Amino acid sequence: MVGNRTTKSSLSPPLEEPILSKSSARSFRKLFKPFLFTVGFTGSTFGAAAIWQYESLKSRVQSYYDDLQIDWFEKHRPPKAGDVRKQVNQWWNSLTDGQRSVTGIIAANVLVFCLWRIPSMQRIMMKYFTSNPASKTLCLPMILSTFSHFSLFHMGANMYVLWSFSSSIVSLLGQEQFMAVYFSAGVISTFVSYVCKTASGRFGPSLGASGAIMSVLAAVCTKMPEAKLAIIFLPMFTFTAGSALKAIVALDTTGLILGWKFFDHAAHLGGALFGIWYIVYGHEMIWKNREPLVKVWHEMRTKSRGSGGNGPA
């Protein structure tokens, strides 16, 4: 496994959105709505993931029985020459569950990166796809900025790290739980950035998936601290995952204290601490207590199916 340090860029795109005055922005009261958004979004994301897992399990069971009815020849016949769909399916099936899980995330990041290249979209991108506690728009950018990169190198580095750790994190958590952790980490890391910027008075737009990716990296390193990692350009130097996590947290803590501005160190720390917390405590507190919600959903599905079957023939 190859690791790399992730970044949440504070580089500013060409156009700037009008921001509030610093005296107004310094007030922590304006962070109340982002706080509620963070709590609500995180809860909704984990709830949706629990329901998604329930539906996936039902679908797999149904697919198993459906597959038994498929003609053996149709299922095992070799692909025809030039059958592009078959070849795409073979490529897709060759990916790990983790790689398939992050393909959509990577595609969304590439799409948003392309939107930054359209001059007429600059003002919209600045308003909704960068996060800044001094902005008038606070909540939507908390999640949208997680898919936003202005620099090709920034996006490439982040997506490489996400792809590298995808198999490990999905094997640990499963696809549904991973998605909940990833999206929640993006919002939580942005909220931590809001708090630190408001407290310090150092405002500016931030964008990038690094907060969410730091959570993934921290979760894997916490769960498998003895795993060997290496830097892509220096594969001869290896180090343990635990050591890498300590170094990254120390570096971002130093950057936050000293006020380094090139990276959003607060977002990095927020994502990393959430990833560590989730592996140590969060999985037990949140995911293992999803049964009541799933039971309610199951009863709703059962009643809906039952009422649908009681109608006239």
Side-chain angles (χ1 to χ4, degrees):
M1 184 187 301
V2 180
N4 196 359
R5 189 170 70 85
T6 59
T7 60
K8 187 174 179 80
S9 173
S10 293
L11 297 176
S12 300
L15 296 178
E16 293 189 0
E17 178 200 0
I19 61 175
L20 303 177
S21 65
K22 286 194 174 183
S23 59
S24 174
R26 286 294 295 274
S27 172
F28 280 94
R29 288 180 297 178
K30 74 187 299 288
L31 296 181
F32 183 65
K33 284 179 65 177
F35 172 75
L36 292 181
F37 179 81
T38 301
V39 174
F41 182 87
T42 301
S44 300
T45 301
F46 276 96
I51 294 172
W52 178 18
Q53 186 186 61
Y54 167 86
E55 294 293 340
S56 295
L57 290 174
K58 285 178 64 69
S59 177
R60 287 173 197 165
V61 172
Q62 184 62 46
S63 296
Y64 172 76
Y65 288 109
D66 290 344
D67 287 344
L68 294 178
Q69 301 174 18
I70 297 177
D71 181 77
W72 187 93
F73 177 77
E74 288 295 325
K75 188 176 181 181
H76 294 87
R77 68 183 177 89
K80 297 178 181 178
D83 193 344
V84 177
R85 183 177 178 182
K86 279 283 187 180
Q87 294 174 3
V88 171
N89 285 338
Q90 287 179 348
W91 168 79
W92 180 257
N93 292 331
S94 70
L95 300 178
T96 66
D97 289 340
Q99 290 170 339
R100 286 196 291 267
S101 298
V102 302
T103 299
I105 295 175
I106 294 174
N109 278 269
V110 172
L111 174 61
V112 174
F113 174 79
C114 292
L115 291 177
W116 274 111
R117 314 308 0 127
I118 303 175
S120 61
M121 291 290 295
Q122 292 283 300
R123 190 169 296 278
I124 293 175
M125 300 301 292
M126 191 69 193
K127 181 176 182 180
Y128 293 107
F129 288 85
T130 65
S131 59
N132 187 352
S135 171
K136 294 179 180 178
T137 307
L138 294 175
C139 294
L140 272 180
M142 296 178 74
I143 181 62
L144 295 181
S145 64
T146 304
F147 296 90
S148 180
H149 298 83
F150 190 69
S151 161
L152 179 61
F153 176 80
H154 182 206
M155 182 185 69
N158 275 347
M159 295 304 100
Y160 172 78
V161 175
L162 179 61
W163 182 267
S164 299
F165 282 87
S166 61
S167 299
S168 297
I169 190 66
V170 172
S171 68
L172 289 174
L173 302 179
Q175 183 183 34
E176 299 86 2
Q177 190 179 183
F178 155 69
M179 288 293 188
V181 169
Y182 183 86
F183 289 121
S184 298
V187 172
I188 290 170
S189 63
T190 303
F191 181 74
V192 173
S193 174
Y194 278 3
V195 172
C196 291
K197 286 179 179 179
T198 302
S200 65
R202 303 186 188 118
F203 301 105
S206 295
L207 68 166
S210 304
I213 295 173
M214 278 294 295
S215 184
V216 171
L217 188 153
V220 173
C221 292
T222 301
K223 192 68 175 180
M224 301 185 296
E226 299 304 319
K228 292 295 183 180
L229 304 180
I231 300 174
I232 182 173
F233 300 113
L234 300 170
M236 69 290 297
F237 297 107
T238 61
F239 41 86
T240 65
S243 298
L245 180 59
K246 292 174 184 176
I248 291 172
V249 170
L251 180 64
D252 282 318
T253 301
T254 302
L256 180 62
I257 294 173
L258 297 181
W260 296 346
K261 296 182 179 180
F262 189 70
F263 300 133
D264 191 338
H265 296 285
H268 287 193
L269 282 174
L273 293 177
F274 175 70
I276 295 170
W277 174 85
Y278 190 81
I279 290 298
V280 177
Y281 303 108
H283 177 74
E284 293 285 336
M285 293 175 59
I286 300 176
W287 195 249
K288 289 197 173 181
N289 289 313
R290 70 191 185 281
E291 184 178 349
L293 173 63
V294 174
K295 188 175 294 185
V296 170
W297 179 258
H298 173 73
E299 291 174 354
M300 290 173 58
R301 286 287 307 271
T302 303
K303 288 181 180 179
S304 175
R305 189 163 53 247
S307 62
N310 292 332

